[in-house]
Amino acid sequence: MSSLRNAIPRRAHKERAQPQARKKFGLLEKHKDYVERAKSFHKKEETLRILREKAMSRNPDEFYFKMISSRVVDGVHKPKSQANKYSHDELMLMKTQDIAYVIQKLQSEKKKVERLRGALHALDNKPPNKHVYYAEDREEAKEIRSRSLHINDSPAQHNLPRNIRKKTTSSYRELEERTKRVEQLEKLYSEMALQKELQKAGRKRKLRDDEMASPTTRPVYKWRAERKR
């Protein structure tokens, strides 16, 4: 019986659209939209109720570590400044550790770049063709020579399989990215080393462009000579 009921054509009921007079309010809200909005509203209402209960049942004499690590400014808790949290020696030690990590990453990237360049160089430089051809006459010799020149002039990439060409292209892309990363790490290392030297004791000043023999874009500092005992 159910199969006969499904065989009878039924009318396709369309959803009611927003009336013309209420087009300015957007699409007409359906029941599923109301359900989602109601769930969101009740979820927020329950969260506020739980927070209100926690605030009412809170012990005013209870100790919190935020009481000693923050202060109230205009009714808002703000953490205390931790600018002088570490001593000068501790800061120098952390700076040294950071520089050592950057040097380690820089050496690792340089090794990877050299390995990639060696693999791609071996792939691009194919060995010369030493095959000997024998021709019956001059015309055949010219044809063989033109054919061999055409084969040698054709790029090596086109003679490789598709998967090898794909891997070679990705290797060249990786080589370019790692080369840029090496440049960025070298720049970062030089800046960190300069900042570490500037934190050391001693009077120093930044040189002007007219005081340098060859002006550069990077800042140059000069330390005052001190007499050593």
Side-chain angles (χ1 to χ4, degrees):
M1 193 68 183
S2 59
S3 60
L4 293 176
R5 183 167 62 249
N6 294 333
I8 300 174
R10 299 176 183 177
R11 179 181 178 182
H13 295 279
K14 299 181 181 180
E15 293 185 353
R16 187 166 65 91
Q18 184 75 282
Q20 190 67 27
R22 296 177 55 86
K23 285 288 185 182
K24 59 181 180 180
F25 298 110
L27 298 175
L28 181 64
E29 187 184 47
K30 305 301 188 294
H31 178 70
K32 59 180 181 180
D33 302 326
Y34 162 75
V35 170
E36 292 183 3
R37 185 164 55 86
K39 285 181 179 179
S40 176
F41 173 78
H42 290 304
K43 183 179 179 180
K44 295 174 183 177
E45 193 177 32
E46 183 67 17
T47 304
L48 291 175
R49 185 187 65 79
I50 294 174
L51 292 175
R52 197 177 294 112
E53 287 183 358
K54 287 184 178 181
M56 292 176 62
S57 61
R58 185 177 67 88
N59 184 6
D61 298 330
E62 189 174 356
F63 173 77
Y64 297 95
F65 282 99
K66 286 291 184 180
M67 294 178 181
I68 59 176
S69 62
S70 64
R71 57 195 181 94
V72 180
V73 179
D74 298 333
V76 180
H77 284 271
K78 292 187 177 181
K80 292 183 180 179
S81 177
Q82 298 182 356
N84 300 325
K85 182 178 179 181
Y86 303 101
S87 63
H88 179 71
D89 296 336
E90 291 175 343
L91 290 175
M92 292 295 293
L93 178 60
M94 288 189 290
K95 187 74 70 175
T96 304
Q97 293 174 351
D98 293 341
I99 292 177
Y101 174 76
V102 172
I103 292 175
Q104 178 186 0
K105 297 300 292 183
L106 179 59
Q107 292 175 351
S108 175
E109 289 295 329
K110 283 185 176 180
K111 289 181 180 178
K112 292 178 181 179
V113 167
E114 291 177 0
R115 196 180 303 116
L116 275 173
R117 282 178 178 170
L120 294 174
H121 181 73
L123 182 63
D124 291 340
N125 294 341
K126 63 178 183 179
N129 189 4
K130 296 183 179 180
H131 190 77
V132 180
Y133 295 93
Y134 297 94
E136 296 292 339
D137 51 5
R138 292 180 179 274
E139 296 296 331
E140 188 177 356
K142 290 181 180 179
E143 183 181 356
I144 293 175
R145 182 177 298 176
S146 62
R147 192 187 313 134
S148 61
L149 289 175
H150 177 71
I151 294 175
N152 292 332
D153 292 341
S154 62
Q157 293 286 339
H158 296 288
N159 300 330
L160 296 175
R162 183 176 179 182
N163 57 342
I164 302 297
R165 284 189 312 224
K166 190 175 181 180
K167 289 182 180 180
T168 306
T169 305
S170 62
S171 299
Y172 273 111
R173 193 181 303 112
E174 182 183 358
L175 176 61
E176 184 179 359
E177 293 176 357
R178 291 194 180 277
T179 305
K180 291 181 180 179
R181 180 169 174 79
V182 167
E183 295 176 357
Q184 294 174 357
L185 288 173
E186 288 178 346
K187 183 178 179 181
L188 179 61
Y189 166 70
S190 60
E191 291 178 357
M192 293 178 67
L194 177 61
Q195 293 298 326
K196 181 183 176 182
E197 293 295 327
L198 292 176
Q199 288 181 355
K200 293 182 179 179
R203 297 183 61 183
K204 49 195 169 291
R205 67 182 183 88
K206 184 179 178 181
L207 296 181
R208 300 188 302 270
D209 293 340
D210 54 354
E211 295 178 340
M212 292 185 290
S214 56
T216 60
T217 57
R218 296 182 56 192
V220 179
Y221 294 86
K222 181 179 181 181
W223 272 258
R224 183 178 180 180
E226 294 182 359
R227 182 178 179 182
K228 304 295 182 180
R229 292 184 180 181

